[in-house]
Amino acid sequence: MRKSTKHSEVAGELANLKGTVRIQDIIDAILRIENFKTKTLSGFGSIAYYDPEESGVVAIDEIWVDMTYQRVVRLKKLINKLQKMNGFDPYSAGVVDIAIRPSGKKFCWDGLRRIIMAGLCGLTHIKTSQLVHKQYMTDIECQKEEARYFKSRNA
């Protein structure tokens, strides 16, 4: 992602994400928007804290997303949701689903927007449900399996 500070440019980049992207890079791009922290996020926060030592808790900067099967990220919808909820609410967010590929990379297959909102509100870790792919699977096979789960969950 480019290092733009303009809302419209960042929103456009998010709407056109392709391939695999580290979720922290998405969060960082949004936080670079001029006045985003002082105006849009002012007063938002989270009552959540996830203990990094707790089972299933993963650092947000370790999670990737495969945009091949994900829905488009709409910045305005994320902002509206944060405003409606007055920040990140861990109880309504629940856990997010990740898959650990044979390479060791962690991919979010359900909960991308919740992770982004948590990161925007200052969280560095998130509670997850984890699927570990079989070691012999290729990235394409992992991608197809994750897409099937995503479609099943979100259909």
Side-chain angles (χ1 to χ4, degrees):
M1 297 188 72
R2 295 184 315 207
K3 302 282 185 189
S4 179
T5 60
K6 295 186 178 186
H7 186 280
S8 61
E9 289 179 9
V10 172
E13 283 187 45
L14 293 177
N16 292 299
L17 287 174
K18 303 274 188 262
T20 60
V21 181
R22 195 171 68 110
I23 296 175
Q24 187 64 54
D25 292 338
I26 296 170
I27 295 165
D28 292 344
I30 296 169
L31 291 175
R32 274 195 300 274
I33 296 172
E34 293 174 12
N35 299 326
F36 191 82
K37 287 182 189 175
T38 57
K39 287 191 176 180
T40 307
L41 288 181
S42 65
F44 288 173
S46 173
I47 56 172
Y49 166 76
Y50 297 107
D51 182 354
E53 302 301 316
E54 185 181 334
S55 177
V57 174
V58 175
I60 291 173
D61 68 0
E62 294 178 4
I63 306 173
W64 293 72
V65 62
D66 191 330
M67 293 306 296
T68 307
Y69 57 83
Q70 291 283 334
R71 294 184 310 262
V72 171
V73 176
R74 305 251 186 245
L75 182 55
K76 182 70 175 154
K77 281 188 162 188
L78 288 174
I79 293 169
N80 288 343
K81 184 75 163 189
L82 283 172
Q83 289 172 334
K84 181 179 177 183
M85 300 300 292
N86 198 28
F88 179 76
D89 181 357
Y91 304 109
S92 61
V95 299
V96 298
D97 296 299
I98 65 170
I100 303 172
R101 294 188 181 176
S103 65
K105 270 188 171 179
K106 300 171 178 90
F107 281 85
C108 171
W109 63 265
D110 191 55
L112 169 61
R113 285 148 193 79
R114 289 175 279 155
I115 296 173
I116 294 171
M117 289 187 288
L120 291 176
C121 289
L123 274 74
T124 58
H125 290 76
I126 195 86
K127 183 92 171 158
T128 67
S129 164
Q130 300 178 14
L131 156 76
V132 179
H133 286 293
K134 294 175 180 74
Q135 283 299 309
Y136 61 81
M137 292 177 73
T138 66
D139 269 354
I140 299 292
E141 291 170 325
C142 293
Q143 180 187 73
K144 286 179 182 179
E145 186 172 66
E146 293 160 18
R148 184 171 54 86
Y149 294 144
F150 177 82
K151 184 178 180 182
S152 158
R153 173 79 54 86
N154 293 286

